[in-house]
Amino acid sequence: MATVLITGANRGLGLEFTRQYADAGWHVLACCRQPESAEELLQLASRFKDLVSVHKLDVGNFHQVDELAASLSGQPIDVLINNAGIYPDSPTQFFADADYEAWIEAFRINSLAPFKMAQAFTPHLKQGQVKKLVNMTSKMGSIADNTSGGSYIYRSSKTALNMITKSLAIELAKEGVTTLVLHPGWVLTDMGGPNALINTQQSISGLRQVIDHATLADAGKFYAYDGQEIPW
């Protein structure tokens, strides 16, 4: 049975990843900060008793990341999806409004945490059969795609993640691990807002196809949920 570990699994994209992978018969390690209050995730775990296990994990707490990795020692992981992230500023925020504490926090969660997860769980990925590391980003992290400015905090944290992923892809390819950075589209979630263009089911269905079809030749590439490659 293939195993996937998903961060930020309690809502939005992470919850839909959990639902779809469980439906497909995968063993899902569903991680979130406060499992006790993650009602929908707990319902999924109850529905898929033999497939979904819920784990407490704040990705910004690197000690907690190490503890979870240690507790799962010997557990092969086929796909690791670094989905947890934050959007601390508004699309119209400009340089005069910069919140430096929020900026540092965004880098810790959106950029550093996925790298820490890769460090901690690469041994588990190497034991898996599929060996894929997925970092969820956004087109807002694309320098070429930035035509509106603003959103300094979120954009820069995702651009940093893109570069981290590119370097990880080069290094981990030697271990047979395919590393990807993926854009989910503008999705109807708490983060995406009510004006988004697609729902979580459409986004995750597309993302899973991209993940499934990716090979080592695709390592370090930036793809959208519909399989289109995005410029850096």
Side-chain angles (χ1 to χ4, degrees):
M1 182 188 300
T3 298
V4 57
L5 187 150
I6 302 164
T7 66
N10 59 309
R11 63 178 184 171
L13 298 175
L15 185 65
E16 185 60 25
F17 264 128
T18 300
R19 180 180 292 111
Q20 289 197 21
Y21 273 112
D23 274 333
W26 283 56
H27 175 209
V28 183
L29 305 171
C31 304
C32 65
R33 287 182 299 168
Q34 298 177 316
E36 64 279 359
S37 59
E39 294 183 9
E40 289 185 83
L41 179 57
L42 292 174
Q43 288 172 8
L44 269 181
S46 177
R47 176 182 162 198
F48 295 99
K49 286 189 171 83
D50 298 326
L51 295 177
V52 177
S53 59
V54 180
H55 302 267
K56 182 178 179 63
L57 178 65
D58 177 352
V59 296
N61 183 332
F62 297 165
H63 177 66
Q64 214 174 89
V65 172
D66 284 333
E67 284 186 331
L68 179 61
S71 73
L72 294 171
S73 178
Q75 166 68 62
I77 293 176
D78 292 279
V79 178
L80 168 60
I81 301 177
N82 285 313
N83 167 73
I86 58 174
Y87 191 113
D89 56 357
S90 68
T92 57
Q93 186 172 45
F94 291 97
F95 70 93
D97 308 313
D99 181 338
Y100 288 98
E101 291 302 317
W103 208 330
I104 291 169
E105 180 68 1
F107 267 83
R108 190 167 68 92
I109 302 299
N110 293 349
S111 312
L112 301 182
F115 181 78
K116 177 60 181 177
M117 290 290 295
Q119 281 186 318
F121 286 96
T122 290
H124 305 72
L125 285 170
K126 288 165 64 176
Q127 294 176 60
Q129 295 296 313
V130 177
K131 296 183 175 63
K132 291 180 182 175
L133 170 62
V134 177
N135 289 333
M136 297 300 298
T137 188
S138 168
K139 281 178 71 175
M140 291 184 72
S142 166
I143 294 172
D145 189 68
N146 184 1
T147 59
S148 61
S151 297
Y152 285 87
I153 296 175
Y154 186 72
R155 285 186 187 280
S156 62
S157 70
K158 289 299 187 180
T159 303
L161 175 61
N162 292 351
M163 181 58 81
I164 289 166
T165 305
K166 180 66 175 179
S167 289
L168 281 172
I170 295 168
E171 185 165 355
L172 296 182
K174 302 167 190 174
E175 307 289 349
V177 176
T178 300
T179 306
L180 302 169
V181 62
L182 301 183
H183 166 62
W186 189 9
V187 190
L188 285 161
T189 62
D190 291 343
M191 186 180 290
N195 298 318
L197 301 177
I198 59 173
N199 60 36
T200 56
Q201 291 86 353
Q202 293 169 303
S203 173
I204 299 307
S205 178
L207 288 168
R208 286 184 57 232
Q209 288 190 50
V210 174
I211 295 167
D212 286 348
H213 295 151
T215 68
L216 269 176
D218 300 306
K221 293 185 178 179
F222 186 178
Y223 287 114
Y225 74 99
D226 58 3
Q228 296 297 308
E229 192 166 358
I230 298 173
W232 296 107

